[in-house]
Amino acid sequence: MIVVKDLKRYYGSGQNTVKALNGVSFEIKKGEFVAIMGASGSGKTTLLRILALLDDATAGEYTIRGLKVSSLPEAERSYYRLTQVGYVFQDYALINEMSAAENVYVLSMMEGKSKKESYEIALEALDKVGLTGKQDRIPDELSGGEKQRVAIARAIAKKPDIMFADEPCANLDTNNSKQVLDVFKDLNDKHGQTIVMVTHEQWHTEYVDRVITLEDGILVSDEMMDESGEEK
Ligand SMILES: Nc1ncnc2c1ncn2[C@@H]1O[C@H](COP(=O)(O)OP(=O)(O)OP(=O)(O)O)[C@@H](O)[C@H]1O
Ligand SMILES: [Mg+2]
């Protein structure tokens, strides 16, 4: 579903050039749940942002479902990003003044759906992340894990091809982290959602099928996991 060939992302120029990604290649199949790991500064966020079309690569090729997105015109990239890509941020990125349901349905409404239809889509998405009955709460009235699950509901409401999450549990305690990871696992198991998640916690690998590890902008290992999170 995703094919990445020799992807590079450099920041700055001349002596100050930072090679955040220095030639990374891999493929991700539909329905896979992949973790991207590596030390701080190894290029994880840079990679995820390029895959989610939030940033451009300096060089290399990037194909989604046969579509060479790395060379699409910006208007088509924007459309793809808005309608096909789900992105979950470390800090939830919710709007504080809006209820859980409103945070989820604002995107559907932007796409031109009616308020009633958008609200129904939002309730269904909130249900999938275990937040039935909490649709009227504003973010301040939710725990960290619940806030992150609202953000996941917002991402799945558009039924994305691929869901990306950059350290979604970084601000959460173990209990809330487990709830969030269980939601991802459930979406992956029951709905075949393709998920690419950046994490630095080894125990999170119990939830995923595969672990890609970066070091200084280079892919240093790519391993399939078994049920217990051990390498196969
Ligand atoms: N906008 C930018 N301008 C210049 N350098 C950048 C920029 N964004 C990232 N970098 C550099 O690129 C490298 C990779 O950064 P990136 O954010 O991808 O790392 P990361 O693996 O996500 O780290 P962390 O685990 O700390 O989130 C780092 O050396 C970083 O300083
Ligand atoms: Mg990062």
Side-chain angles (χ1 to χ4, degrees), residues 11-12 18-20 38-47 166-167 198 200:
Y11 292 110
V18 175
K19 295 182 173 178
S40 180
S42 57
K44 304 180 299 293
T45 296
T46 303
L47 175 61
D166 192 358
E167 305 217 28
V198 170
H200 60 259

Side-chain angles (χ1 to χ4, degrees), residues 26 29 43 81 98 111 114 142 144 146 174 179 198 205 224:
F26 58 87
K29 292 196 186 74
R81 179 167 58 228
M98 298 205 311
E111 279 178 18
S114 72
L142 296 166
E146 287 170 339
T174 307
Q179 287 174 8
V198 170
T205 60
M224 301 305 285

Side-chain angles (χ1 to χ4, degrees), residues 82 104-114 118:
L82 205 64
V104 175
Y105 76 56
V106 67
L107 266 175
S108 307
M109 291 200 55
M110 273 168 63
E111 279 178 18
K113 294 197 173 78
S114 72
S118 301

Side-chain angles (χ1 to χ4, degrees), residues 53-74:
L53 304 180
L54 296 168
D55 190 12
D56 290 318
T58 306
E61 235 180 73
Y62 173 30
T63 312
I64 306 176
R65 282 196 304 177
L67 188 70
K68 199 165 154 192
V69 284
S70 45
S71 48
L72 277 182
E74 182 49 35

Side-chain angles (χ1 to χ4, degrees), residues 14 99 138:
S99 70
I138 58 168

